[in-house]
Amino acid sequence: MSGKDGAREMVILSLAGGIIVLTLVSFGASAHSNVQLTDRLIVGVPLLASFLLGISLAVKPGWMRRLRRDAIHDADARPLNSPGRGRRGHHPDCEHFRPHIVRVGGKVLCAGCTGLALGSVASIGMVGLYALPLMSMPPPISIILVAIGTALVAASLADSELFQARGGERLFSNLVMPVGFFLVAAGLLEATGNVAYGLAGVLISFLWLDTRIRLSRRRHVRICRSCGEACKSYLT
């Protein structure tokens, strides 16, 4: 794993984030947590904002380029060096990147971004349900949900690094990541009754998402490096 793209460091930090999440829910859980609607809104609003941001980046990856010049996050949005090589689903029109796209209604879409967008839409609905006053989540159930959410994120990150997933599989593995974010943040709040723990879950979710982006970028570079074509879209 190359150190130049920061992927190794982000994986280590993400592992630490997972340990922190499980530690918080293990030692901070309360048998009588009393979560108010205000507490849920304090955690739910940043979650909602993050999901809306994720949808916007999935639909149009390059809109933040003027705010942040980052080769890791910007590579899929800028023009290719080779004028003869177009993009499909904001990936190079190359056979090696076909597993990274899906076809929906005759359109070619990025499997990863489409999955993240769909997962974010589903998670927005979960945030809305979570804000309902009648919604109840007992601490023991909350602990299980945190574990499930952490496992979903871990599986999604492992798919980015370890497996050669096809388009549909890649879409699904990215779809479950935002759902995992919601389960971790909401579960931490409900299990502990502490808003700070819920917000910690939101922050760690951003760390996990950035790790996923860097692992995806690393895989793109690896594909280009092993390819015999001259365009080398991701090696600049």
Side-chain angles (χ1 to χ4, degrees):
M1 187 179 294
S2 172
K4 294 181 179 180
D5 56 13
R8 178 189 299 132
E9 292 79 6
M10 294 303 294
V11 168
I12 294 172
L13 288 174
S14 288
L15 289 173
I19 293 172
I20 290 172
V21 164
L22 296 177
T23 300
L24 289 177
V25 77
S26 297
F27 292 96
S30 170
H32 304 287
S33 64
N34 185 22
V35 178
Q36 304 297 319
L37 176 60
T38 303
D39 300 329
R40 292 180 175 180
L41 291 176
I42 291 174
V43 174
V45 169
L47 266 178
L48 182 63
S50 69
F51 294 142
L52 291 173
L53 176 63
I55 291 171
S56 71
L57 290 174
V59 173
K60 194 173 181 60
W63 75 265
M64 290 187 69
R65 281 183 292 172
R66 294 182 181 180
L67 301 178
R68 181 180 185 183
R69 303 301 301 181
D70 187 333
I72 298 298
H73 298 77
D74 192 40
D76 286 330
R78 62 174 180 251
L80 293 171
N81 291 330
S82 173
R85 179 74 68 184
R87 284 195 185 273
R88 305 182 71 189
H90 75 242
H91 288 296
D93 186 9
C94 168
E95 63 175 329
H96 298 293
F97 284 95
R98 286 179 185 171
H100 295 250
I101 61 175
V102 290
R103 290 173 173 82
V104 179
K107 294 184 178 180
V108 177
L109 304 174
C110 170
C113 287
T114 302
L116 286 173
L118 292 175
S120 295
V121 170
S123 299
I124 287 173
M126 293 179 184
V127 172
L129 291 174
Y130 179 60
L132 293 176
L134 298 178
M135 181 74 174
S136 177
M137 194 181 298
I141 300 298
S142 303
I143 295 173
I144 294 174
L145 291 181
V146 171
I148 292 174
T150 305
L152 289 177
V153 173
S156 183
L157 291 176
D159 177 74
S160 293
E161 180 61 21
L162 301 177
F163 303 106
Q164 300 296 325
R166 308 296 296 179
E169 298 168 6
R170 196 178 301 277
L171 185 151
F172 181 77
S173 72
N174 282 278
L175 185 153
V176 301
M177 178 171 269
V179 176
F181 295 165
F182 168 77
L183 293 178
V184 166
L188 278 173
L189 172 61
E190 294 293 328
T192 65
N194 192 323
V195 170
Y197 283 26
L199 292 176
V202 176
L203 291 176
I204 292 173
S205 294
F206 277 108
L207 169 67
W208 287 334
L209 179 60
D210 193 52
T211 301
R212 180 264 173 201
I213 292 172
R214 290 178 185 271
L215 287 174
S216 178
R217 166 65 177 169
R218 177 182 175 271
R219 172 171 285 185
H220 295 162
V221 170
R222 187 167 53 199
I223 291 172
C224 275
R225 184 172 289 125
S226 62
C227 175
E229 298 288 339
C231 58
K232 303 303 180 187
S233 306
Y234 288 97
L235 297 183
T236 58

